Amino acid sequence: MEDVDVVIIGAGSAGLSAAKTLRAAGFSFKLLEAMNRIGGRAWTSDQHFGVPFDIGCAWLHAADRNPYFPEAKAAAWTLHHHDMNVDHLYYRERKASEAEEAAMKVADARLFELVAAHQVRESDDDRLSALLAKGHAPRAAATFAGPMDFGADEDEISIRDFQAAADLDPNYFTREGFGTLVARFGADVPVELSTPVRKIVWDGPGVACVTDRGTIRAKAVIVTASPAVLAFEEIAFSPALPMRISPPSSTCRWAC
């Protein structure tokens, strides 16, 4: 594989955007993607239900500042505004009563009151679970604030991170699919699919990215692989990464 200015790892939104930025600036690059498609966690399938279905991320959050919103409008996507209210609530196979829905909303409101008022000190427990215990219906609140909103359990979520989360309104769904929109955005970007990076050698000068198809060298690497890929050490680094990277090295850039 020929050497380039920059290697980009991961063809999700961040990787595709990095490639377009580098191309506009006149840099040579290689965008390497482990899967056989682009889009990362944005994936729309019409094979499961006969209609477009977002298996991955589906929301066009914060449409007033989301760069994909004008993309969707330009593509004449069918957009549905959602006010973040709960449309339907079930307990197993039973539809919740009006009283149960009201209790859930009280619990949700109480959680946000606790989060807004909480001041985290260095000696405090920074896990969201520490606040849930002080609210109402902690089990229901843990489900909404944890797996549904963050894809993690309540004892894995930082209160500081929760407080720093931006206001996500206005929100939209698309009939055609968010994954299809991301694929449309990246359709003009050259990508080496089915090319997982196994190792990054960054002891300089430059970097070397070892793949199943050979090794490619570059002046820098932009890693946009998901945190899960890095957490499970699916990409090896030589030398090993320090526990904290601040500021980033001259040859490595990290993006999530």
Side-chain angles (χ1 to χ4, degrees), residues 3 5 38 59 82 122 148 161 169 213 221 243 248-250:
D3 295 350
D5 291 323
I38 66 173
W59 291 90
H82 193 277
E122 289 302 321
M148 288 189 65
D161 286 347
D169 284 328
R213 298 172 55 196
V221 60
M243 292 300 294
S249 75
S250 60

Side-chain angles (χ1 to χ4, degrees), residues 199-239:
K199 185 177 184 179
I200 299 174
V201 182
W202 61 290
D203 52 0
V207 295
C209 298
V210 181
T211 78
D212 293 347
R213 298 172 55 196
T215 298
I216 180 171
R217 291 172 175 78
K219 298 175 183 176
V221 60
I222 300 175
V223 180
T224 72
S226 72
V229 168
L230 300 180
F232 282 95
E233 299 181 346
E234 295 184 18
I235 301 175
F237 291 84
S238 180

